[in-house]
Each structure stands twice: as C-alpha cells, then as structure tokens.
Amino acid sequence: MHEEIERVAQVEASVERAKAAIALMADYQGRVTELSRIRREAIEEAAAGGMSQSEIAVLLGVSRGRVGQLAAQGPPPERAFFGTDLMTISLGGKYEAGKAPGEAGEVVTREDFGNFEHLRKLLGTLKLDAQYEVIPPTGIVNLNRDNHVVVCGPRLSPIIAQVLEGDDHLRFQKDRAWHLVDLKTQEVHRSPMDEGGEAGDVGYLARLPRLDGKGTFIYIAGIHSIGANGVVHYLENHLAELYRDVRTRRFSTLISCRYDPKTLEVLESERVSPIYRHEA
C-alpha cells in the first residue's frame, strides 16, 4: 500500500497526480467494501453456527454492541454471487427491422433492456454499479472478464451456444420449437407461449466457465425473451437463498415464470429443476 501511495505522490504533473490519486482511492474503497462484505458474512456464519454475539465479541476483541454493528455494516453476503466491482451486462443485439443492409443499427428487445434496468436496481442494493453493452448480431462477445452477466439466447451467439454444450445437465434443444431439456431426468420444458397456454415462459440460469479458464460469468436466457425476465425476477426474490446454496461455484437451473401479456411484467417465478452443480 505504501508503495502505491508513493508512486502516486511521485507523479510530476499536478492534474495527472490528482487523477492517479482518485483512481487509487476508488480502488481502495472497492477493497474496503468487499472486505466489509466478507466480515459481515463471517459474523453471520459464526452466528448461524450457534455462537452468541457475546462469544463472537470475545473472540474478536470488541464489545457485544460492536458485533451487532459490524453484522449490519457492509453489503449483504450475496453480493459475491455477481462480483466485486462495476458489472457489465451484455445484452443480445439484433439488426433494426425494416432497414436496408448497412443502414440498420443494432438494437435490443424491450424485454432485454428491461432486464438491465431490473438488474441495475438489484445490483444497486448490493452496492454494485452496472453498465450494459450490446452484443452485435454476429454474436461475438468477450467472455474472458470479471464482473460479467450475459443475457443472450444461444440462437444469437455461436460462442454462447458452444459454452452451453459443456452443461451436462440442462440443454436448449429445438424440434417444432425451442425448448429446454433436463438431461438427467429427460423432462422437457416447453414455453406455454408455444403450447397455446397462459402467458408464461421458461428460462435458464447458470454460472458458466470463461473460455480462458480463469473464471466464470453469470448467464441468463429464456426460450423467448420474456423467459430471461423471469430469471431476473427470480434473482430479485431469491438471491440470498441461491447464494447460500451455490456461493460462487458453477451451476445451472431452470426457472419458469408467468407474466402479464399487456404490460410484459413478470408476476411470479419459480425454480422448476434441481440446482445442478458443475463442480465436484
């Protein structure tokens, strides 16, 4: 730490020195936020394991009241499910309809942009900022980075389709329509939209490996776009329990949802497959 501060102090140009100081302060603040999360999680785990606040206080060398304060400070433990810094949400893009070749811009569906807004708000409660990017219609997306969520169906990205082939438990397949299959139970999950049923869909939620093998990313997709909204709705309402179950390990599961066909607002969501762990 001292060396980093000294390096900043040695920058000759005053404005550049100020910029370097601001950048280093932001880095330190990010570390403090993550450390406070780790501390809060550790205290909660100790309490869940049967230790009283008085016992924890003695071991930490602080007062019982201070333990209560520390347990309430910092972001919730489930923040780690997503990341530790600015999150990038990659949304699958399509060319604008009705435009001549070369003139069509890259756009995302109303449902997917709504997903970003919901995720941004959720991440805000975890003290994480978020930005979005549009995956070009070629489907080329850089998966080799931290703090990354991808919302894009395998139909739109051959790279994503390739990564999904590594899931030995759940799979997107197509016959008369796209659907999801549980390879372990052979159960087929079709979208009610394709079956003439109620306004509903099924989505896929997973933590998948990066191509460089140096980490993972969160992946969200639906049979239709609205299915991804159902997954986000599930995260909004069940993130803490999901995190307690999988932490930051690789997994995949399926989420069904029901929505208002007029407003496209998701009304309810639930898990419809086991949570499959991809690691021993």
Side-chain angles (χ1 to χ4, degrees):
M1 181 183 296
H2 177 75
E3 292 180 355
E4 292 177 313
I5 295 175
E6 187 63 26
R7 174 181 55 78
V8 170
Q10 294 301 319
V11 175
E12 292 188 9
S14 57
V15 174
E16 292 303 314
R17 188 163 64 251
K19 289 170 63 177
I22 291 171
L24 186 57
M25 289 171 66
D27 179 52
Y28 283 173
Q29 184 56 54
R31 298 185 193 186
V32 168
T33 300
E34 178 59 15
L35 286 170
S36 67
R37 185 204 69 80
I38 294 172
R39 180 184 63 193
R40 176 175 172 177
E41 182 175 37
I43 292 174
E44 289 183 3
E45 286 180 357
M51 294 183 67
S52 68
Q53 283 197 348
S54 296
E55 291 172 324
I56 296 172
V58 170
L59 293 174
L60 292 182
V62 300
S63 68
R64 182 178 181 280
R66 181 57 176 157
V67 171
Q69 292 176 342
L70 295 178
Q73 291 177 351
E78 57 266 25
R79 177 183 197 259
F81 180 85
F82 286 104
T84 60
D85 207 340
L86 175 67
M87 299 294 304
T88 298
I89 316 297
S90 298
L91 306 175
K94 301 178 181 179
Y95 287 120
E96 290 180 282
K99 295 286 186 72
E103 297 180 359
E106 298 170 3
V107 297
V108 298
T109 65
R110 170 186 169 187
E111 293 91 337
D112 279 346
F113 191 76
N115 279 325
F116 168 71
E117 288 298 326
H118 278 274
L119 283 170
R120 182 178 62 81
K121 292 177 182 177
L122 173 60
L123 292 167
T125 67
L126 304 173
K127 296 187 178 182
L128 286 168
D129 293 325
Q131 63 184 3
Y132 81 91
E133 67 178 15
V134 179
I135 300 173
T138 57
I140 303 301
V141 56
N142 176 19
L143 299 177
N144 299 330
R145 44 185 161 162
D146 296 329
N147 308 306
H148 192 199
V149 178
V150 177
V151 185
C152 176
R155 288 170 288 181
L156 299 180
S157 173
I159 293 177
I160 292 297
Q162 181 180 2
V163 174
L164 289 175
E165 289 293 321
D167 186 345
D168 296 327
H169 311 280
L170 302 168
R171 191 69 52 84
F172 279 92
Q173 292 184 357
K174 184 180 182 182
D175 45 27
R176 66 178 186 275
W178 283 94
H179 55 277
L180 283 154
V181 178
D182 186 322
L183 300 177
K184 297 301 181 182
T185 66
Q186 298 304 311
E187 185 174 0
V188 176
H189 298 268
R190 296 186 181 274
S191 172
M193 298 169 63
D194 298 323
E195 302 295 298
E198 66 177 6
D201 200 21
V202 182
Y204 174 97
L205 168 64
R207 180 185 298 278
L208 299 174
R210 291 169 20 173
L211 295 178
D212 62 3
K214 297 180 180 180
T216 59
F217 64 97
I218 297 297
Y219 179 67
I220 296 171
I223 296 176
H224 299 282
S225 293
I226 197 70
N229 296 58
V231 173
V232 173
H233 182 274
Y234 181 83
L235 288 172
E236 290 175 310
N237 292 280
H238 300 278
L239 179 60
E241 62 188 78
L242 179 62
Y243 174 70
R244 286 194 296 269
D245 204 341
V246 301
R247 300 286 174 160
T248 58
R249 297 184 291 271
R250 289 167 50 195
F251 75 96
S252 59
T253 192
L254 301 182
I255 308 296
S256 71
C257 71
R258 186 173 63 84
Y259 65 93
D260 186 324
K262 295 181 179 179
T263 64
L264 299 183
E265 177 186 0
V266 175
L267 303 174
E268 59 184 24
S269 59
E270 63 176 342
R271 187 163 53 82
V272 291
S273 82
I275 295 175
Y276 288 111
R277 291 163 182 77
H278 296 191
E279 303 170 4

